[in-house]
Amino acid sequence: MSAAPNAAAVGDAPGRPARPAGYWERVTRIVDQAPPLTNDQRARIRAAFYQPAAKEAAA
């Protein structure tokens, strides 16, 4: 794997450095090796994203 970053693609967010060659392949490999989430883990993740904002909770 090369340490030199690739040129940023057209759709890349501005201000973000380009990813090294093979980055997404490595991420996919790691994710594929991970065990599936339990229902409890899925529920905790959903709860984290669906909590009301701090301003709404204080009202």
Side-chain angles (χ1 to χ4, degrees):
M1 184 161 81
S2 172
N6 295 332
V10 174
D12 286 351
R16 282 189 167 179
R19 301 285 186 220
Y23 176 84
W24 291 113
E25 291 80 6
R26 185 170 53 102
V27 169
T28 301
R29 210 170 43 249
I30 292 168
V31 169
D32 289 344
Q33 292 174 358
L37 295 174
T38 65
N39 288 336
D40 183 56
Q41 289 170 320
R42 285 188 190 100
R44 289 173 186 255
I45 292 169
R46 282 191 198 108
F49 284 101
Y50 290 106
Q51 288 181 357
K55 290 181 183 178
E56 294 172 8

